[in-house]
Amino acid sequence: EVQLVQSGAEVKKPGESLKISCKGSGYSFTSYWIGWVRQMPGKGLEWMGIIYPGDSDTRYSPSFQGQVTISADKSISTAYLQWSSLKASDTAMYYCARRRIAAAATYYFDYWGQGTLVTVSS
Amino acid sequence: SSELTQDPAVSVALGQTVRITCQGDSLRSYYASWYQQKPGQAPVLVIYGKNNRPSGIPDRFSGSSSGNTASLTITGAQAEDEADYYCNSRDSSGNHGVVFGGGTKLTVL
């Protein structure tokens, strides 16, 4: 059974750093891209970026480039999303999801983590 | 960059058919995928590709596409279908990017 299990909720202060994780199991972790998606309170889904754990090739949405860092450790089948200096506006639910390719080179996300709630407040 | 536009809210009477639409230039090149999200839960894939349902998704869910518009149709809506629905497409600007629609809140009356 394919599973993506994310780390638990975090409460941080502005300016602090944070690294959240997404552990894959039940499939070849190095063979599929893993994306990160933000959902701010009461809002929609926003794509942040994506990584290929096989070689750590990473791409970012222009909206998030320079704001976060995506990485992966294939030895433990885990992808990461990290911030060096959190802001209150980073308060959101963050999801990881496995990306697949369908006909006509279409992308879709077939399995999602349960989400990690990040709260940034002084 | 690409954008996908969805109606913010749609309602349907129990047992009736409802269509949720998604518009965007990238849909002229790529199929949309659709996700159902219930309160407090992670999104769930319901349609991908031309019109494919993952295992476990009821066959009352179907997808279609024409020009710059993708549609998710629920034939015989059930109370448990009440949720937010998001479309998603590959970004035509490249770089492995994708874009999500703003979401449609479906109410089953």
Side-chain angles (χ1 to χ4, degrees), chain B residues 43-93:
Chain B
V44 172
L45 176 69
V46 294
I47 292 289
Y48 67 95
K50 189 174 183 179
N51 181 21
N52 303 105
R53 282 177 289 106
S55 174
I57 300 302
D59 60 7
R60 63 179 179 270
F61 290 88
S62 63
S64 61
S65 183
S66 178
N68 73 335
T69 301
S71 301
L72 173 70
T73 300
I74 307 174
T75 304
Q78 301 300 302
E80 61 265 31
D81 299 334
E82 185 163 294
D84 294 325
Y85 290 85
Y86 294 91
C87 62
N88 168 248
S89 167
R90 180 172 178 172
D91 187 333
S92 54
S93 65

Side-chain angles (χ1 to χ4, degrees), chain B:
Chain B
S1 62
S2 303
E3 290 186 354
L4 296 178
T5 301
Q6 297 183 240
D7 291 328
V10 171
S11 62
V12 61
L14 184 67
Q16 296 303 300
T17 296
V18 62
R19 177 181 294 179
I20 298 170
T21 61
C22 173
Q23 289 188 302
D25 286 342
S26 62
L27 299 178
R28 296 185 184 280
S29 303
Y30 304 110
Y31 292 116
S33 52
W34 291 92
Y35 305 85
Q36 176 193 70
Q37 187 180 35
K38 296 181 179 179
Q41 297 184 20
V44 172
L45 176 69
V46 294
I47 292 289
Y48 67 95
K50 189 174 183 179
N51 181 21
N52 303 105
R53 282 177 289 106
S55 174
I57 300 302
D59 60 7
R60 63 179 179 270
F61 290 88
S62 63
S64 61
S65 183
S66 178
N68 73 335
T69 301
S71 301
L72 173 70
T73 300
I74 307 174
T75 304
Q78 301 300 302
E80 61 265 31
D81 299 334
E82 185 163 294
D84 294 325
Y85 290 85
Y86 294 91
C87 62
N88 168 248
S89 167
R90 180 172 178 172
D91 187 333
S92 54
S93 65
N95 198 32
H96 292 254
V98 300
V99 59
F100 286 95
T104 297
K105 168 65 178 175
L106 175 67
T107 300
V108 180
L109 303 171

Side-chain angles (χ1 to χ4, degrees), chain A:
Chain A
E1 178 193 10
V2 174
Q3 283 191 307
L4 294 173
V5 178
Q6 297 185 231
S7 49
E10 302 274 1
V11 180
K12 292 290 191 178
K13 290 181 167 37
E16 292 186 331
S17 63
L18 175 65
K19 192 174 189 177
I20 63 175
S21 66
C22 168
K23 183 174 177 60
S25 63
Y27 74 100
S28 175
F29 186 73
T30 55
S31 299
Y32 296 86
W33 291 79
I34 292 285
W36 286 94
V37 176
R38 182 176 78 174
Q39 187 167 38
M40 299 178 76
K43 302 298 184 182
L45 305 175
E46 300 173 89
W47 178 71
M48 302 177 71
I50 199 162
I51 188 166
Y52 188 73
D55 62 5
S56 290
D57 186 3
T58 307
R59 312 296 174 92
Y60 294 92
S61 162
S63 299
F64 292 93
Q65 179 82 48
Q67 308 303 309
V68 297
T69 301
I70 294 171
S71 60
D73 185 341
K74 62 184 180 182
S75 70
I76 55 172
S77 301
T78 301
Y80 302 97
L81 177 66
Q82 69 180 87
W83 297 258
S84 59
S85 180
L86 286 159
K87 303 184 285 286
S89 58
D90 292 318
T91 294
M93 182 72 81
Y94 294 88
Y95 294 101
C96 64
R98 188 178 79 165
R99 196 199 74 184
R100 302 289 300 276
I101 299 178
T106 295
Y107 296 156
Y108 64 100
F109 296 99
D110 62 346
Y111 287 93
W112 293 67
Q114 81 277 19
T116 295
L117 180 63
V118 174
T119 303
V120 184
S121 175
S122 55

